[in-house]
Amino acid sequence: MKTPFFNKLAFIGFYLAVLCLLSVLAFHFPEYLSNPQLRDAYNVDYLRIVLFSSLYLSFGMGLIALLLGRKKGLALAAILVSALATVLGGAAVEVQVPIQQKPIYLSLDLIILDLLVMSILFVPLERIFFLRRQRFLREGLATDLSHYALNHLLMGGVFVLIVWPGNWIHEHVFQNRVPQFTQQMPLGLQVLCILFIADFAQYWIHRYFHKRPRWWQFHKIHHSTLKMDWLASSRLHIGDVIATRAFSYVPIVCLGFSQAAVQLYLPIVAVQALFVHSNVRFHFGPLRYIVTTPLVHHWHHSSDPRALDKNFAVTFSIIDVMFGTFYCPRVWPEAYGLYQERISNRFLRQLVYPFAGQLRRKA
Ligand SMILES: [Zn+2]
Ligand SMILES: [Zn+2]
């Protein structure tokens, strides 16, 4: 068997071991490290079985990779991290109920479940239907994973910021009144309406991010990726995430859609956002004029000057068609990234990049 297989094994073992360690910490401190809305939705007993199996699996993968592979350091880290998670109680940590939820918390459980589910969905999909052959451990992978972790982790902490503008407008402008017809619509239609309305709002804030030089410094990070795949979608500056989500949330709350519809909308838009970035060769033909497909969004990330400031919608490309910003030939773009510019691939440098740019201009 070839060495790269054991390198992959070391990486997957380490990745799994880190998720296990984070899960054990979330079991110890659920009031600080788990999301109260999400906690009600999952079965803890199933999670314990998954955690127990994952601990064995990551340890085993690390051991095999250590004996037979070349990435000894990563393999050893997989073994040590899974051992640490086991020493800290593993899947047997008792949770003290009732949980005294803290107002500011980190959504560790969200990141663990999200990463697991999305990896199971997208890794095989990209392996089978790949558009371009890409190395498993591609350049920038660690940076994208770090953005993913930070943006998901802070969801609890910045949630207040995200919902604040929508709630303020709802209370002070509309005096908490909501139109009657939205709640009376069938659930499916409500979800469809939220998808369209939120994408409409997202379209304009996204366009604003491209047009205003100061805002562009934040959004540039998303466009710095040179390889497209499902994880490239998470390369978003935290400032970009907060502004985009807050703006998209305003019409949802002001139109008074039901909680059930909002809960259904969230996973759909999460999968769609990953899908349009993914390294898959599905074409979808003329459907691309209505719904944003991977081909449409890949052109948004293209470094080709003809595609600059095009295809802002993430779900409904018809919004781009309506406002004259649609650009999508039938062929795939040749290269991705910023037009005639490169920015560092390092996570911390990307985080400070928008502020460093302002300092540079002042100097
Ligand atoms: Zn963009
Ligand atoms: Zn994108």
Side-chain angles (χ1 to χ4, degrees):
M1 212 165 290
K2 289 185 216 156
T3 313
F5 170 80
F6 296 111
N7 293 349
K8 284 180 200 168
L9 210 62
F11 177 80
I12 298 169
F14 178 68
Y15 176 75
L16 210 54
V18 171
L19 291 185
C20 288
L21 181 62
L22 295 177
S23 308
V24 172
L25 292 175
F27 269 117
H28 275 290
F29 308 105
E31 68 278 30
Y32 292 105
L33 299 177
S34 68
N35 185 307
Q37 288 95 33
L38 196 65
R39 251 186 351 242
D40 297 336
Y42 53 69
N43 184 320
V44 175
D45 292 333
Y46 287 139
L47 283 191
R48 285 186 193 278
I49 297 169
V50 174
L51 177 57
F52 183 77
S53 327
S54 304
L55 275 170
Y56 269 96
L57 211 59
S58 55
F59 189 88
M61 285 177 173
L63 196 63
I64 295 169
L66 183 70
L67 295 173
L68 303 170
R70 282 195 192 158
K71 296 241 176 218
K72 305 277 187 202
L74 200 58
L76 189 63
I79 294 171
L80 291 176
V81 174
S82 52
L84 178 65
T86 311
V87 170
L88 290 175
V93 177
E94 285 296 326
V95 176
Q96 302 295 327
V97 282
I99 296 166
Q100 305 293 324
Q101 187 62 44
K102 303 294 171 192
I104 301 241
Y105 53 89
L106 296 175
S107 302
L108 254 188
D109 51 351
L110 176 67
I111 179 174
I112 297 161
L113 286 173
D114 206 56
L115 264 178
L116 262 183
V117 172
M118 296 306 179
S119 308
I120 291 166
L121 261 176
F122 283 98
V123 172
L125 191 77
E126 291 190 340
R127 291 277 117 189
I128 301 166
F129 301 104
F130 62 87
L131 169 66
R132 293 183 173 92
R133 265 192 198 283
Q134 270 174 200
R135 280 194 303 133
F136 183 75
L137 302 176
R138 68 157 167 83
E139 195 189 338
L141 185 75
T143 300
D144 293 353
L145 271 172
S146 306
H147 279 291
Y148 192 100
L150 180 76
N151 296 346
H152 279 70
L153 267 179
L154 286 179
M155 262 311 120
V158 298
F159 192 67
V160 186
L161 285 179
I162 289 171
V163 295
W164 180 79
N167 289 343
W168 191 90
I169 293 171
H170 186 222
E171 191 185 331
H172 292 90
V173 180
F174 296 98
Q175 270 87 43
N176 289 329
R177 284 193 301 268
V178 288
Q180 292 294 309
F181 68 92
T182 44
Q183 299 263 335
Q184 288 159 0
M185 283 157 63
L187 189 63
L189 190 59
Q190 282 194 53
V191 175
L192 196 66
C193 285
I194 299 176
L195 277 168
F196 189 84
I197 292 164
D199 200 35
F200 191 81
Q202 185 281 140
Y203 170 92
W204 287 105
I205 188 92
H206 189 178
R207 202 166 156 167
Y208 196 77
F209 264 110
H210 274 247
K211 294 289 179 192
R212 308 298 295 185
R214 281 215 173 158
W215 290 54
W216 174 237
Q217 298 303 311
F218 286 88
H219 189 58
K220 243 184 196 178
I221 304 302
H222 185 57
H223 283 267
S224 69
T225 188
L226 302 176
K227 305 275 181 199
M228 288 293 278
D229 62 16
W230 66 283
L231 259 176
S233 63
S234 38
R235 185 179 288 207
L236 281 162
H237 195 282
I238 185 74
D240 189 344
V241 175
I242 295 171
T244 304
R245 297 211 179 163
F247 198 73
S248 311
Y249 179 71
V250 173
I252 298 177
V253 67
C254 292
L255 287 169
F257 290 104
S258 69
Q259 268 305 309
V262 176
Q263 296 295 341
L264 274 171
Y265 152 78
L266 291 172
I268 295 173
V269 78
V271 171
Q272 166 69 1
L274 267 59
F275 181 62
V276 295
H277 291 88
S278 60
N279 177 30
V280 289
R281 54 178 179 266
F282 304 130
H283 225 282
F284 295 108
L287 194 68
R288 70 187 191 279
Y289 292 99
I290 299 165
V291 177
T292 306
T293 64
L295 180 65
V296 175
H297 199 69
H298 276 226
W299 273 109
H300 180 67
H301 281 267
S302 160
S303 55
D304 187 325
R306 288 171 300 174
L308 291 180
D309 302 334
K310 296 285 192 289
N311 304 348
F312 297 110
V314 172
T315 313
F316 290 102
S317 53
I318 195 164
I319 303 174
D320 281 295
V321 175
M322 280 159 54
F323 294 101
T325 50
F326 184 79
Y327 180 80
C328 187
R330 278 183 61 84
V331 290
W332 293 90
E334 280 177 15
Y336 304 106
L338 293 159
Y339 178 57
Q340 294 184 330
E341 195 184 342
R342 286 275 181 100
I343 61 176
S344 170
N345 231 345
R346 299 200 166 192
F347 173 63
L348 288 175
R349 286 204 183 162
Q350 293 194 353
L351 271 191
V352 298
Y353 181 84
F355 312 105
Q358 284 178 21
L359 287 176
R360 269 198 308 274
R361 277 193 298 278
K362 275 186 188 159

